[in-house]
Amino acid sequence: MLTRLEEEKDQWIYEAIDRFYERFGGQKYELAAEQTPEDQMIQLKNFELSMRKQKNLDLERMENEIISIEECMEKDQRTLESLESTFDYLHKELEVYKGEQKGLDGIQLEKFTCYLDGKFNFDKKDQVIFKERKISKLMESYQMVEMEMLDYYEKQLSNIWLLLTRSMENISSTAKFDFNTHPPLISVSLNHGRGLDQYLKPGNFEEDYRIVLDTLERNNSIVYDYYVSQISQFITNCKDEMVQLWTMKNEHKRLVDENVLELQEKKRKNAARLVELQDQLVWAKQEWKQDSLRPKLLDDFLKEEFVKAVTCWQEKLFAENASDEERWVYHQYCQIILKQAERIIGNEYFEYN
């Protein structure tokens, strides 16, 4: 009898384990065979507790990774918007440089026309009338045309200076354009008319007239070349600086574009990973919720099997034909599995009941 009871005293634990495995599709833990059934049950509970902790950690890891990815995506989005804004700004700046370079190519200095005839009246023979054939009149006309020439170039230089200055200001340059305004003019040297103001011979006047006109045209070429040379040098300097700035800005734009592409690719990967994690988290929470019933279900099986075992022995304990010795033995074994159950399930269950 004692041998049979010794074999049966642990059977309720095995029954609970088998029911637990069967409930979850035959999934079994590798329990140490050399351990007692009670120790195996404790080990099984520890496995369940460890699995529960691991799944809690997995859930926490996924939730933390989701939060981290969302924060990273928000930060990257702000950076991306800033980079895109910078890219657009640089693109507009580069377009400004192109426009200003074309504007520089359009800057031209127009050459003055020396129109000396307009200062005199002519007769029917297309000759200057006699009363205007004077040295004073010729020199006065010379000076007037020369002043008109200088004024003509001065006005153009003023406009060109403004165009150059505005162009460079548009690209944030501090270049200065200080024109030299003292061209090396040559003086007129007349051959005739000495002593008298009036020319008595038309040929003498016509010769001096040609000298004056030739001097004006030579001075006009000198002044024109004098300013064209400066303007060309200023334009070359402006273009050189624009090329340097354009190259620097274009490289900056290229780097920004690379960063934008990298962030867009990172954004795409993070978005895909986020969707993947969110789906995994949904399934993991469902599994976690289902698995949360496992420890309770195991305790329920233990309680049910314990009740079955105790009930069976109590029936034999209180059977009319049971001897005092048998009652004592059944009572002892009932106490043995009660202590087992208290250790495995917990005292609170038995105290409550």
Side-chain angles (χ1 to χ4, degrees), residues 162-224:
L162 190 60
L163 289 173
L164 290 172
T165 301
R166 285 179 177 174
S167 266
M168 299 312 285
E169 284 178 349
N170 286 338
I171 63 169
S172 301
S173 171
T174 57
K176 300 296 182 182
F177 307 100
D178 298 322
F179 284 96
N180 292 322
T181 55
H182 300 287
L185 298 177
I186 59 175
S187 299
V188 65
S189 180
L190 303 179
N191 291 332
H192 305 285
R194 290 179 174 82
L196 295 175
D197 185 33
Q198 185 74 47
Y199 284 93
L200 300 178
K201 295 180 180 181
N204 292 342
F205 174 80
E206 291 171 358
E207 185 179 352
D208 279 354
Y209 186 94
R210 284 193 298 271
I211 291 173
V212 167
L213 183 58
D214 180 63
T215 302
L216 284 172
E217 289 178 345
R218 288 170 63 192
N219 278 340
N220 185 32
S221 295
I222 289 171
V223 175
Y224 178 78

Side-chain angles (χ1 to χ4, degrees), residues 30-60:
E30 293 185 3
L31 303 176
E34 68 276 7
Q35 291 182 335
T36 64
E38 181 180 335
D39 288 340
Q40 288 183 357
M41 176 54 70
I42 297 299
Q43 187 181 16
L44 176 58
K45 284 196 161 194
N46 288 336
F47 281 149
E48 284 293 313
L49 179 61
S50 177
M51 182 181 70
R52 179 74 171 173
K53 288 180 178 179
Q54 185 58 51
K55 289 191 175 182
N56 284 338
L57 290 174
D58 290 341
L59 284 177
E60 185 178 354

